[in-house]
PDB file of all heavy atoms in Angstrom:
ATOM      1  N   SER A   1       0.834  -1.221   0.018  1.00  0.00           N
ATOM      2  CA  SER A   1      -0.001   0.029  -0.013  1.00  0.00           C
ATOM      3  C   SER A   1       0.822   1.214   0.023  1.00  0.00           C
ATOM      4  O   SER A   1       2.145   1.165   0.173  1.00  0.00           O
ATOM      5  CB  SER A   1      -0.991  -0.013   1.214  1.00  0.00           C
ATOM      6  OG  SER A   1      -0.271   0.033   2.412  1.00  0.00           O
ATOM      7  N   ARG A   2       0.230   2.366  -0.251  1.00  0.00           N
ATOM      8  CA  ARG A   2       1.053   3.653  -0.180  1.00  0.00           C
ATOM      9  C   ARG A   2       0.269   4.796   0.358  1.00  0.00           C
ATOM     10  O   ARG A   2      -1.032   4.759   0.235  1.00  0.00           O
ATOM     11  CB  ARG A   2       1.610   4.046  -1.511  1.00  0.00           C
ATOM     12  CG  ARG A   2       0.699   4.821  -2.430  1.00  0.00           C
ATOM     13  CD  ARG A   2      -0.278   3.907  -3.247  1.00  0.00           C
ATOM     14  NE  ARG A   2      -0.870   4.575  -4.331  1.00  0.00           N
ATOM     15  CZ  ARG A   2      -2.132   5.090  -4.200  1.00  0.00           C
ATOM     16  NH1 ARG A   2      -2.792   5.029  -3.052  1.00  0.00           N
ATOM     17  NH2 ARG A   2      -2.643   5.716  -5.246  1.00  0.00           N
ATOM     18  N   ASP A   3       0.877   5.662   1.012  1.00  0.00           N
ATOM     19  CA  ASP A   3       0.230   6.928   1.528  1.00  0.00           C
ATOM     20  C   ASP A   3       0.914   8.071   0.720  1.00  0.00           C
ATOM     21  O   ASP A   3       2.114   8.439   1.017  1.00  0.00           O
ATOM     22  CB  ASP A   3       0.509   7.094   2.993  1.00  0.00           C
ATOM     23  CG  ASP A   3      -0.224   8.255   3.639  1.00  0.00           C
ATOM     24  OD1 ASP A   3      -0.389   9.333   2.943  1.00  0.00           O
ATOM     25  OD2 ASP A   3      -0.688   8.184   4.732  1.00  0.00           O
ATOM     26  N   ASN A   4       0.133   8.640  -0.193  1.00  0.00           N
ATOM     27  CA  ASN A   4       0.695   9.631  -1.134  1.00  0.00           C
ATOM     28  C   ASN A   4       1.171  10.864  -0.305  1.00  0.00           C
ATOM     29  O   ASN A   4       2.227  11.498  -0.667  1.00  0.00           O
ATOM     30  CB  ASN A   4      -0.179  10.009  -2.275  1.00  0.00           C
ATOM     31  CG  ASN A   4      -0.298   8.849  -3.288  1.00  0.00           C
ATOM     32  OD1 ASN A   4       0.074   7.724  -2.967  1.00  0.00           O
ATOM     33  ND2 ASN A   4      -0.848   9.202  -4.423  1.00  0.00           N
ATOM     34  N   ASP A   5       0.371  11.211   0.653  1.00  0.00           N
ATOM     35  CA  ASP A   5       0.698  12.466   1.413  1.00  0.00           C
ATOM     36  C   ASP A   5       2.003  12.310   2.151  1.00  0.00           C
ATOM     37  O   ASP A   5       2.790  13.252   2.269  1.00  0.00           O
ATOM     38  CB  ASP A   5      -0.479  12.835   2.343  1.00  0.00           C
ATOM     39  CG  ASP A   5      -1.703  13.308   1.584  1.00  0.00           C
ATOM     40  OD1 ASP A   5      -1.555  13.759   0.398  1.00  0.00           O
ATOM     41  OD2 ASP A   5      -2.840  13.200   2.113  1.00  0.00           O
ATOM     42  N   LYS A   6       2.183  11.100   2.743  1.00  0.00           N
ATOM     43  CA  LYS A   6       3.365  10.871   3.513  1.00  0.00           C
ATOM     44  C   LYS A   6       4.607  10.417   2.638  1.00  0.00           C
ATOM     45  O   LYS A   6       5.691  10.188   3.162  1.00  0.00           O
ATOM     46  CB  LYS A   6       3.100   9.798   4.540  1.00  0.00           C
ATOM     47  CG  LYS A   6       2.115  10.331   5.699  1.00  0.00           C
ATOM     48  CD  LYS A   6       1.892   9.213   6.663  1.00  0.00           C
ATOM     49  CE  LYS A   6       0.905   9.726   7.704  1.00  0.00           C
ATOM     50  NZ  LYS A   6       0.640   8.667   8.794  1.00  0.00           N
ATOM     51  N   LYS A   7       4.263  10.183   1.421  1.00  0.00           N
ATOM     52  CA  LYS A   7       5.267   9.634   0.407  1.00  0.00           C
ATOM     53  C   LYS A   7       5.903   8.371   1.053  1.00  0.00           C
ATOM     54  O   LYS A   7       7.154   8.288   1.131  1.00  0.00           O
ATOM     55  CB  LYS A   7       6.380  10.699   0.095  1.00  0.00           C
ATOM     56  CG  LYS A   7       5.891  11.757  -0.677  1.00  0.00           C
ATOM     57  CD  LYS A   7       6.979  12.708  -1.179  1.00  0.00           C
ATOM     58  CE  LYS A   7       6.458  13.831  -2.113  1.00  0.00           C
ATOM     59  NZ  LYS A   7       7.613  14.671  -2.584  1.00  0.00           N
ATOM     60  N   THR A   8       5.066   7.554   1.471  1.00  0.00           N
ATOM     61  CA  THR A   8       5.527   6.215   2.145  1.00  0.00           C
ATOM     62  C   THR A   8       4.861   4.974   1.509  1.00  0.00           C
ATOM     63  O   THR A   8       3.598   5.081   1.273  1.00  0.00           O
ATOM     64  CB  THR A   8       5.164   6.338   3.635  1.00  0.00           C
ATOM     65  OG1 THR A   8       5.880   7.446   4.203  1.00  0.00           O
ATOM     66  CG2 THR A   8       5.759   5.034   4.371  1.00  0.00           C
ATOM     67  N   VAL A   9       5.583   4.018   1.305  1.00  0.00           N
ATOM     68  CA  VAL A   9       5.058   2.715   0.819  1.00  0.00           C
ATOM     69  C   VAL A   9       5.191   1.656   1.844  1.00  0.00           C
ATOM     70  O   VAL A   9       6.267   1.604   2.521  1.00  0.00           O
ATOM     71  CB  VAL A   9       5.846   2.290  -0.494  1.00  0.00           C
ATOM     72  CG1 VAL A   9       5.230   1.029  -0.996  1.00  0.00           C
ATOM     73  CG2 VAL A   9       5.803   3.404  -1.542  1.00  0.00           C
ATOM     74  N   TYR A  10       4.178   0.892   2.005  1.00  0.00           N
ATOM     75  CA  TYR A  10       4.152  -0.135   3.061  1.00  0.00           C
ATOM     76  C   TYR A  10       4.127  -1.558   2.494  1.00  0.00           C
ATOM     77  O   TYR A  10       3.595  -1.758   1.365  1.00  0.00           O
ATOM     78  CB  TYR A  10       3.049   0.120   3.952  1.00  0.00           C
ATOM     79  CG  TYR A  10       2.915   1.491   4.607  1.00  0.00           C
ATOM     80  CD1 TYR A  10       2.091   2.405   4.068  1.00  0.00           C
ATOM     81  CD2 TYR A  10       3.618   1.766   5.742  1.00  0.00           C
ATOM     82  CE1 TYR A  10       2.011   3.705   4.646  1.00  0.00           C
ATOM     83  CE2 TYR A  10       3.569   3.025   6.273  1.00  0.00           C
ATOM     84  CZ  TYR A  10       2.764   3.997   5.701  1.00  0.00           C
ATOM     85  OH  TYR A  10       2.695   5.251   6.307  1.00  0.00           O
ATOM     86  N   LEU A  11       4.637  -2.463   3.246  1.00  0.00           N
ATOM     87  CA  LEU A  11       4.390  -3.824   2.940  1.00  0.00           C
ATOM     88  C   LEU A  11       3.999  -4.563   4.286  1.00  0.00           C
ATOM     89  O   LEU A  11       4.761  -4.795   5.109  1.00  0.00           O
ATOM     90  CB  LEU A  11       5.708  -4.507   2.398  1.00  0.00           C
ATOM     91  CG  LEU A  11       5.562  -5.955   1.958  1.00  0.00           C
ATOM     92  CD1 LEU A  11       4.648  -6.038   0.657  1.00  0.00           C
ATOM     93  CD2 LEU A  11       6.918  -6.596   1.659  1.00  0.00           C
ATOM     94  N   GLN A  12       2.760  -4.813   4.277  1.00  0.00           N
ATOM     95  CA  GLN A  12       2.250  -5.620   5.444  1.00  0.00           C
ATOM     96  C   GLN A  12       2.382  -7.030   5.136  1.00  0.00           C
ATOM     97  O   GLN A  12       1.862  -7.646   4.214  1.00  0.00           O
ATOM     98  CB  GLN A  12       0.744  -5.268   5.537  1.00  0.00           C
ATOM     99  CG  GLN A  12      -0.001  -6.024   6.746  1.00  0.00           C
ATOM    100  CD  GLN A  12       0.579  -5.589   8.141  1.00  0.00           C
ATOM    101  OE1 GLN A  12       0.673  -4.378   8.397  1.00  0.00           O
ATOM    102  NE2 GLN A  12       0.880  -6.552   8.931  1.00  0.00           N
ATOM    103  N   MET A  13       3.143  -7.793   6.015  1.00  0.00           N
ATOM    104  CA  MET A  13       3.400  -9.140   5.880  1.00  0.00           C
ATOM    105  C   MET A  13       2.752  -9.920   7.035  1.00  0.00           C
ATOM    106  O   MET A  13       3.130  -9.708   8.192  1.00  0.00           O
ATOM    107  CB  MET A  13       4.891  -9.321   5.895  1.00  0.00           C
ATOM    108  CG  MET A  13       5.630  -8.514   4.892  1.00  0.00           C
ATOM    109  SD  MET A  13       7.457  -8.826   4.791  1.00  0.00           S
ATOM    110  CE  MET A  13       7.953  -8.378   6.411  1.00  0.00           C
ATOM    111  N   ASN A  14       1.812 -10.809   6.649  1.00  0.00           N
ATOM    112  CA  ASN A  14       1.152 -11.619   7.563  1.00  0.00           C
ATOM    113  C   ASN A  14       1.477 -13.087   7.366  1.00  0.00           C
ATOM    114  O   ASN A  14       1.917 -13.443   6.293  1.00  0.00           O
ATOM    115  CB  ASN A  14      -0.360 -11.463   7.584  1.00  0.00           C
ATOM    116  CG  ASN A  14      -0.787 -10.002   7.832  1.00  0.00           C
ATOM    117  OD1 ASN A  14      -0.106  -9.336   8.756  1.00  0.00           O
ATOM    118  ND2 ASN A  14      -1.798  -9.525   7.222  1.00  0.00           N
ATOM    119  N   SER A  15       1.154 -13.956   8.299  1.00  0.00           N
ATOM    120  CA  SER A  15       1.424 -15.365   8.226  1.00  0.00           C
ATOM    121  C   SER A  15       2.840 -15.648   7.667  1.00  0.00           C
ATOM    122  O   SER A  15       3.049 -16.499   6.755  1.00  0.00           O
ATOM    123  CB  SER A  15       0.388 -16.031   7.242  1.00  0.00           C
ATOM    124  OG  SER A  15      -0.908 -15.776   7.759  1.00  0.00           O
ATOM    125  N   LEU A  16       3.765 -15.016   8.335  1.00  0.00           N
ATOM    126  CA  LEU A  16       5.184 -15.150   7.824  1.00  0.00           C
ATOM    127  C   LEU A  16       5.701 -16.605   7.993  1.00  0.00           C
ATOM    128  O   LEU A  16       5.375 -17.290   8.926  1.00  0.00           O
ATOM    129  CB  LEU A  16       6.063 -14.142   8.561  1.00  0.00           C
ATOM    130  CG  LEU A  16       5.915 -12.733   8.137  1.00  0.00           C
ATOM    131  CD1 LEU A  16       6.404 -11.776   9.142  1.00  0.00           C
ATOM    132  CD2 LEU A  16       6.704 -12.573   6.730  1.00  0.00           C
ATOM    133  N   LYS A  17       6.553 -16.958   7.054  1.00  0.00           N
ATOM    134  CA  LYS A  17       7.124 -18.220   7.009  1.00  0.00           C
ATOM    135  C   LYS A  17       8.676 -18.125   7.063  1.00  0.00           C
ATOM    136  O   LYS A  17       9.165 -17.085   6.645  1.00  0.00           O
ATOM    137  CB  LYS A  17       6.702 -19.074   5.654  1.00  0.00           C
ATOM    138  CG  LYS A  17       5.209 -19.157   5.490  1.00  0.00           C
ATOM    139  CD  LYS A  17       4.963 -19.744   4.173  1.00  0.00           C
ATOM    140  CE  LYS A  17       3.506 -19.887   3.865  1.00  0.00           C
ATOM    141  NZ  LYS A  17       3.246 -20.463   2.495  1.00  0.00           N
ATOM    142  N   PRO A  18       9.351 -19.153   7.506  1.00  0.00           N
ATOM    143  CA  PRO A  18      10.836 -19.075   7.532  1.00  0.00           C
ATOM    144  C   PRO A  18      11.420 -18.753   6.132  1.00  0.00           C
ATOM    145  O   PRO A  18      12.445 -18.031   6.056  1.00  0.00           O
ATOM    146  CB  PRO A  18      11.241 -20.414   8.031  1.00  0.00           C
ATOM    147  CG  PRO A  18      10.136 -20.875   8.834  1.00  0.00           C
ATOM    148  CD  PRO A  18       8.877 -20.363   8.224  1.00  0.00           C
ATOM    149  N   GLU A  19      10.825 -19.267   5.101  1.00  0.00           N
ATOM    150  CA  GLU A  19      11.249 -18.966   3.713  1.00  0.00           C
ATOM    151  C   GLU A  19      11.074 -17.528   3.355  1.00  0.00           C
ATOM    152  O   GLU A  19      11.545 -17.093   2.265  1.00  0.00           O
ATOM    153  CB  GLU A  19      10.660 -19.887   2.740  1.00  0.00           C
ATOM    154  CG  GLU A  19       9.169 -20.001   2.842  1.00  0.00           C
ATOM    155  CD  GLU A  19       8.640 -21.135   3.600  1.00  0.00           C
ATOM    156  OE1 GLU A  19       9.167 -21.389   4.732  1.00  0.00           O
ATOM    157  OE2 GLU A  19       7.725 -21.835   3.169  1.00  0.00           O
ATOM    158  N   ASP A  20      10.437 -16.710   4.097  1.00  0.00           N
ATOM    159  CA  ASP A  20      10.307 -15.294   3.870  1.00  0.00           C
ATOM    160  C   ASP A  20      11.505 -14.532   4.322  1.00  0.00           C
ATOM    161  O   ASP A  20      11.669 -13.347   4.156  1.00  0.00           O
ATOM    162  CB  ASP A  20       9.075 -14.733   4.550  1.00  0.00           C
ATOM    163  CG  ASP A  20       7.765 -15.264   3.925  1.00  0.00           C
ATOM    164  OD1 ASP A  20       7.730 -15.333   2.708  1.00  0.00           O
ATOM    165  OD2 ASP A  20       6.838 -15.493   4.690  1.00  0.00           O
ATOM    166  N   THR A  21      12.467 -15.146   5.099  1.00  0.00           N
ATOM    167  CA  THR A  21      13.606 -14.521   5.632  1.00  0.00           C
ATOM    168  C   THR A  21      14.426 -14.021   4.487  1.00  0.00           C
ATOM    169  O   THR A  21      14.854 -14.721   3.551  1.00  0.00           O
ATOM    170  CB  THR A  21      14.484 -15.540   6.433  1.00  0.00           C
ATOM    171  OG1 THR A  21      13.635 -15.872   7.640  1.00  0.00           O
ATOM    172  CG2 THR A  21      15.697 -14.918   6.880  1.00  0.00           C
ATOM    173  N   ALA A  22      14.759 -12.716   4.493  1.00  0.00           N
ATOM    174  CA  ALA A  22      15.530 -12.117   3.442  1.00  0.00           C
ATOM    175  C   ALA A  22      15.802 -10.661   3.809  1.00  0.00           C
ATOM    176  O   ALA A  22      15.141 -10.185   4.760  1.00  0.00           O
ATOM    177  CB  ALA A  22      14.739 -12.191   2.135  1.00  0.00           C
ATOM    178  N   VAL A  23      16.615  -9.992   3.053  1.00  0.00           N
ATOM    179  CA  VAL A  23      16.697  -8.567   3.058  1.00  0.00           C
ATOM    180  C   VAL A  23      15.584  -7.956   2.161  1.00  0.00           C
ATOM    181  O   VAL A  23      15.629  -8.495   0.975  1.00  0.00           O
ATOM    182  CB  VAL A  23      18.111  -8.034   2.707  1.00  0.00           C
ATOM    183  CG1 VAL A  23      18.085  -6.462   2.617  1.00  0.00           C
ATOM    184  CG2 VAL A  23      19.084  -8.531   3.648  1.00  0.00           C
ATOM    185  N   TYR A  24      14.810  -7.155   2.589  1.00  0.00           N
ATOM    186  CA  TYR A  24      13.768  -6.534   1.724  1.00  0.00           C
ATOM    187  C   TYR A  24      14.112  -5.143   1.352  1.00  0.00           C
ATOM    188  O   TYR A  24      14.509  -4.337   2.066  1.00  0.00           O
ATOM    189  CB  TYR A  24      12.394  -6.494   2.586  1.00  0.00           C
ATOM    190  CG  TYR A  24      11.775  -7.877   2.678  1.00  0.00           C
ATOM    191  CD1 TYR A  24      12.350  -8.846   3.453  1.00  0.00           C
ATOM    192  CD2 TYR A  24      10.657  -8.166   1.988  1.00  0.00           C
ATOM    193  CE1 TYR A  24      11.746 -10.136   3.518  1.00  0.00           C
ATOM    194  CE2 TYR A  24      10.037  -9.438   1.991  1.00  0.00           C
ATOM    195  CZ  TYR A  24      10.643 -10.431   2.737  1.00  0.00           C
ATOM    196  OH  TYR A  24      10.032 -11.701   2.914  1.00  0.00           O
ATOM    197  N   TYR A  25      13.934  -4.903  -0.021  1.00  0.00           N
ATOM    198  CA  TYR A  25      14.305  -3.647  -0.585  1.00  0.00           C
ATOM    199  C   TYR A  25      13.145  -2.990  -1.153  1.00  0.00           C
ATOM    200  O   TYR A  25      12.270  -3.549  -1.791  1.00  0.00           O
ATOM    201  CB  TYR A  25      15.328  -3.929  -1.731  1.00  0.00           C
ATOM    202  CG  TYR A  25      16.646  -4.497  -1.359  1.00  0.00           C
ATOM    203  CD1 TYR A  25      16.788  -5.831  -1.223  1.00  0.00           C
ATOM    204  CD2 TYR A  25      17.666  -3.668  -0.945  1.00  0.00           C
ATOM    205  CE1 TYR A  25      17.973  -6.350  -0.862  1.00  0.00           C
ATOM    206  CE2 TYR A  25      18.900  -4.207  -0.578  1.00  0.00           C
ATOM    207  CZ  TYR A  25      19.056  -5.616  -0.510  1.00  0.00           C
ATOM    208  OH  TYR A  25      20.238  -6.068  -0.144  1.00  0.00           O
ATOM    209  N   CYS A  26      13.076  -1.633  -1.017  1.00  0.00           N
ATOM    210  CA  CYS A  26      12.007  -0.823  -1.638  1.00  0.00           C
ATOM    211  C   CYS A  26      12.719  -0.269  -2.887  1.00  0.00           C
ATOM    212  O   CYS A  26      13.891  -0.023  -2.999  1.00  0.00           O
ATOM    213  CB  CYS A  26      11.673   0.329  -0.663  1.00  0.00           C
ATOM    214  SG  CYS A  26      10.473   1.482  -1.391  1.00  0.00           S
ATOM    215  N   ALA A  27      11.875  -0.155  -3.931  1.00  0.00           N
ATOM    216  CA  ALA A  27      12.382   0.370  -5.210  1.00  0.00           C
ATOM    217  C   ALA A  27      11.351   1.202  -5.938  1.00  0.00           C
ATOM    218  O   ALA A  27      10.113   1.058  -5.639  1.00  0.00           O
ATOM    219  CB  ALA A  27      12.783  -0.843  -6.116  1.00  0.00           C
ATOM    220  N   ALA A  28      11.758   2.014  -6.884  1.00  0.00           N
ATOM    221  CA  ALA A  28      10.930   2.900  -7.695  1.00  0.00           C
ATOM    222  C   ALA A  28      11.293   2.816  -9.023  1.00  0.00           C
ATOM    223  O   ALA A  28      12.398   2.763  -9.467  1.00  0.00           O
ATOM    224  CB  ALA A  28      10.979   4.319  -7.121  1.00  0.00           C
ATOM    225  N   GLN A  29      10.245   2.789  -9.984  1.00  0.00           N
ATOM    226  CA  GLN A  29      10.406   2.588 -11.392  1.00  0.00           C
ATOM    227  C   GLN A  29       9.675   3.756 -12.087  1.00  0.00           C
ATOM    228  O   GLN A  29       8.473   3.864 -12.051  1.00  0.00           O
ATOM    229  CB  GLN A  29       9.861   1.217 -11.849  1.00  0.00           C
ATOM    230  CG  GLN A  29      10.581   0.566 -13.051  1.00  0.00           C
ATOM    231  CD  GLN A  29      10.030   1.061 -14.362  1.00  0.00           C
ATOM    232  OE1 GLN A  29       9.020   1.827 -14.466  1.00  0.00           O
ATOM    233  NE2 GLN A  29      10.710   0.698 -15.409  1.00  0.00           N
TER     234      GLN A  29
END
């Protein structure tokens, strides 16, 4: 999701699994 006023992008992660372990990067295109 994103909040345009705050210029912030979110990633809500639920039901996390061990295989989700990683470094997470934000990017813009």
Side-chain angles (χ1 to χ4, degrees):
S1 62
R2 85 276 191 266
D3 185 325
N4 289 14
D5 291 336
K6 295 181 179 179
K7 291 188 176 181
T8 302
V9 183
Y10 304 97
L11 184 68
Q12 179 66 47
M13 305 185 295
N14 299 324
S15 302
L16 283 161
K17 305 174 181 179
E19 50 262 46
D20 295 319
T21 295
V23 177
Y24 283 72
Y25 297 90
C26 180
Q29 212 276 353

